[in-house]
Amino acid sequence: MTAAVPDPPDETVLNTFEHDGYAIIRNALNPALLSPLLTAAEQLLASTITRGRDQGGDGKDGFRGVLDLDQTFLPLLDNPRTLPTLVRLLSPNIHLLSAHLIALPTGPPRTIRTPQRPGWHRDMYGVSDDLGLTQTPRLAIKVAHYLTPITPDCGLTMFLPGSHTLTSAPTIAPQAIDPDGARTPQLTSTDVVLFENRTWHASGINTSGSPRIALMLQYGFRWLQPVDDPSTLHADPCLTPIQQQLLGMPDRNEDGSLAKGRGAVPLRRWSGRR
């Protein structure tokens, strides 16, 4: 699906991301993909598959490593509407860290998030634990795709603008569940949200009557360990070189010998960046 020549990223999106720690890319999804993506997600969630299953005590359900479970999701991996922005904000030396399908259950307000457990967090929490909040760099960016209909009560992910620069956790008032300034992005079904590992965020409250299903694709530097189990897809000859890179193709020559840096060549050539 990767375009032969990438369109340059939208400078407004880049500037918003740098300022807020997240940004919306409008019309990033091909409308023809929406129905097949939702069908694939619902079939996985209804299955008895345990490989990569990620179920939470709060009623959440989902899977990690979903590209290996169903290749219907593969066109999102190298979406030409999102990939140039990811490369500009990180570098061409990236791969996929996680493909996380999440079904947020519906219910009365505050069944999952409460004042005692508000749910606001940064991703890659181990980095902040090891390095401290003030020393944590931008390492990864998630692309949030919402597969079920977007309604005001479906529980979209909320964000705290500018929180990627905070040096301490955001303050939440007593008996509240959200910090002042928290926002729910205004999206349509073909929009996606990009946010980085340092941006504080939380699931919204889903009272729509149906699960809210999202697919979060997280991209990061190739020297970072993927969160999901290692993908088995990268050696598939039917994939493009860019898809192979993003799925973890190692630094190897065609004969199997070591070739340092070769694994990032596809995106470097495509993007024209070093």
Side-chain angles (χ1 to χ4, degrees):
M1 185 176 181
T2 314
V5 178
D7 291 332
D10 187 315
E11 292 295 330
T12 300
V13 170
L14 294 172
N15 292 337
T16 298
F17 192 94
E18 295 289 358
H19 184 268
D20 291 342
Y22 74 97
I24 300 167
I25 297 183
R26 303 290 182 188
N27 301 312
L29 294 178
N30 181 344
L33 286 176
L34 295 177
S35 180
L37 289 170
L38 179 56
T39 297
E42 290 178 333
Q43 289 176 344
L44 273 179
L45 292 163
S47 74
T48 58
I49 295 173
T50 56
R51 177 187 172 191
R53 196 102 196 195
D54 184 16
Q55 295 175 311
D58 53 15
K60 285 184 181 178
D61 196 5
F63 288 89
R64 289 191 174 275
V66 294
L67 300 190
D68 284 75
L69 297 174
D70 193 321
Q71 293 194 30
T72 304
F73 302 108
L74 194 59
L76 302 181
L77 173 69
D78 57 336
N79 184 348
R81 292 283 296 142
T82 58
L83 193 54
T85 302
L86 292 166
V87 170
R88 177 77 74 86
L89 291 170
L90 290 169
S91 93
N93 191 37
I94 58 174
H95 65 174
L96 189 70
L97 299 179
S98 178
H100 191 190
L101 185 70
I102 306 170
L104 179 70
T106 188
R110 302 177 187 246
T111 55
I112 294 175
R113 295 177 53 221
T114 67
Q116 293 73 35
R117 191 163 66 106
W120 283 86
H121 64 284
R122 277 179 163 176
D123 287 336
M124 305 179 75
Y125 59 86
V127 175
S128 294
D129 284 349
D130 291 341
L131 301 182
L133 290 175
T134 61
Q135 300 299 320
T136 299
R138 177 187 298 164
L139 294 171
I141 293 173
K142 275 185 178 175
V143 184
H145 312 78
Y146 295 97
L147 308 184
T148 41
I150 294 175
T151 60
D153 56 356
C154 71
L156 292 178
T157 307
M158 300 180 67
F159 301 96
L160 183 61
S163 58
H164 59 308
T165 64
L166 292 180
T167 57
S168 61
T171 300
I172 299 177
Q175 302 309 309
I177 59 171
D178 300 320
D180 287 342
R183 294 182 190 169
T184 300
Q186 301 300 304
L187 305 177
T188 70
S189 59
T190 58
D191 299 336
V192 301
V193 184
L194 275 61
F195 62 101
E196 63 152 282
N197 55 288
R198 298 176 298 178
T199 303
W200 288 84
H201 60 284
S203 295
I205 302 295
N206 179 12
T207 58
S208 67
S210 301
R212 184 222 69 190
I213 301 175
L215 177 60
M216 304 283 185
L217 297 183
Q218 185 182 51
Y219 301 78
F221 296 107
R222 291 178 64 247
W223 35 266
L224 288 171
Q225 177 73 19
V227 178
D228 299 345
D229 292 337
S231 174
T232 59
L233 291 178
H234 63 73
D236 187 337
C238 294
L239 299 183
T240 68
I242 287 176
Q243 290 174 326
Q244 289 178 327
Q245 172 183 331
L246 293 173
L247 289 170
M249 181 68 78
D251 288 355
R252 297 290 185 274
N253 291 309
E254 292 182 1
D255 62 2
S257 59
L258 296 179
K260 294 181 179 178
R262 183 180 176 87
V265 165
L267 269 182
R268 292 191 193 282
R269 286 177 174 168
W270 177 73
S271 66
R273 293 188 61 199
R274 296 326 246 163

